[in-house]
Amino acid sequence: MSAPPPDFQRVADSRPGMTARDELRELTHQRLLAAAEAIFESEGYWRTTVSGITKAANVSRATFYLHFTDKSTVLLAIMRTNLADTPAYWQQVDAALIDGGRDVLRAALGRTLNWYQKHGLMLRAVREAMTSDPHLAEKTEGTIAGFADEMSDYLASVSSDQRTQAHLRLQLLIIQLDQLAFRLVVQGLQRIDRELMLDELTDIWQLALPAARRPD
């Protein structure tokens, strides 16, 4: 009997206790995700079809529907996997707001721009899907503004009478940053010097947000 293919072996090694049937199902699931991701990134959301995904993954449509309801659920699964690093970027901003230093905050905001560059191709597909697919828009509603919740240490350090205002301002600033970064970094629609933009963003954040209280 020949040895199992490398991808099959990796699944088996990483999931002890799985049956052979479970392992094959997981391998097929991963093949579908990989095929869909490549097509979403190259073709965009609307030009991607279930038929295109199944052809690239070399599986039948019936097999596809054993794993996903439609292409929007595939995109959601890819988002959960590929964008799993997102909270870490905002947690760095959280630490920078606690620190209070301008240079530290500027560096943390700069890293969020790197995140947009890193995930640019997928973010194009996600943005296209959100503007045209009500189902997906409903599933992801509030996601961007919700990143403010990742800055819990900063919010806890703000005086209680300012906390609600600080949370709302964080949401507004993150939405602003998202729109700006998507247009400039992902789409490249406007030419603005990155360093100058970071200077202005940092000043806006420091002016808009109450300073964190220092421990006694």
Side-chain angles (χ1 to χ4, degrees):
M1 182 176 178
S2 62
D7 287 344
F8 182 92
Q9 190 60 54
R10 280 195 292 271
V11 171
D13 291 343
S14 63
R15 301 290 181 89
M18 290 179 69
T19 66
R21 184 173 182 177
D22 290 337
E23 291 165 0
L24 284 171
R25 179 180 175 84
E26 178 63 17
L27 179 58
T28 300
H29 189 84
Q30 295 303 322
R31 284 169 56 192
L32 284 165
L33 287 176
E37 179 181 354
I39 298 174
F40 280 133
E41 290 187 349
S42 63
E43 302 295 332
Y45 181 74
W46 274 114
R47 291 174 61 186
T48 297
T49 64
V50 171
S51 294
I53 295 171
T54 57
K55 182 178 179 180
N58 195 28
V59 302
S60 68
R61 288 177 66 91
T63 297
F64 174 90
Y65 289 116
L66 288 174
H67 292 263
F68 301 103
T69 304
D70 51 30
K71 68 178 182 180
S72 70
T73 57
V74 185
L75 185 61
L76 285 170
I78 294 171
M79 288 172 62
R80 284 193 293 269
T81 301
N82 287 20
L83 307 184
D85 61 342
T86 304
Y89 285 83
W90 295 110
Q91 288 161 8
Q92 291 175 41
V93 176
D94 182 34
L97 291 172
I98 292 289
D99 178 275
R102 184 181 187 280
D103 289 344
V104 177
L105 177 59
R106 187 182 186 280
L109 292 174
R111 285 189 286 272
T112 68
L113 298 183
N114 295 341
W115 177 87
Y116 282 89
Q117 190 166 15
K118 175 182 177 183
H119 297 293
L121 291 174
M122 181 53 60
L123 290 173
R124 284 176 180 264
V126 170
R127 191 64 59 97
E128 181 184 337
M130 289 177 63
T131 58
S132 52
D133 188 327
H135 169 71
L136 194 63
E138 181 181 349
K139 290 284 187 181
T140 57
E141 184 178 5
T143 298
I144 297 298
F147 292 151
D149 297 335
E150 302 296 335
M151 287 175 257
S152 56
D153 288 342
Y154 163 71
L155 290 171
S157 75
V158 174
S159 61
S160 58
D161 61 320
Q162 292 182 301
R163 198 163 296 150
T164 299
Q165 180 192 59
H167 187 265
L168 176 58
R169 289 189 178 190
L170 274 174
Q171 290 179 311
L172 296 174
L173 289 168
I174 290 171
I175 291 171
Q176 178 194 55
L177 176 58
D178 173 68
Q179 295 296 321
L180 180 65
F182 187 79
R183 289 179 62 83
L184 272 61
V185 179
V186 178
Q187 295 181 307
L189 295 181
Q190 292 175 306
R191 297 296 178 187
I192 298 178
D193 182 80
R194 176 191 171 97
E195 301 308 309
L196 179 61
M197 180 177 68
L198 277 174
D199 284 337
E200 295 300 322
L201 280 174
T202 304
D203 289 343
I204 290 170
W205 278 62
Q206 288 202 310
L207 287 169
L209 295 170
R213 291 180 299 175
R214 295 294 181 184
D216 296 332

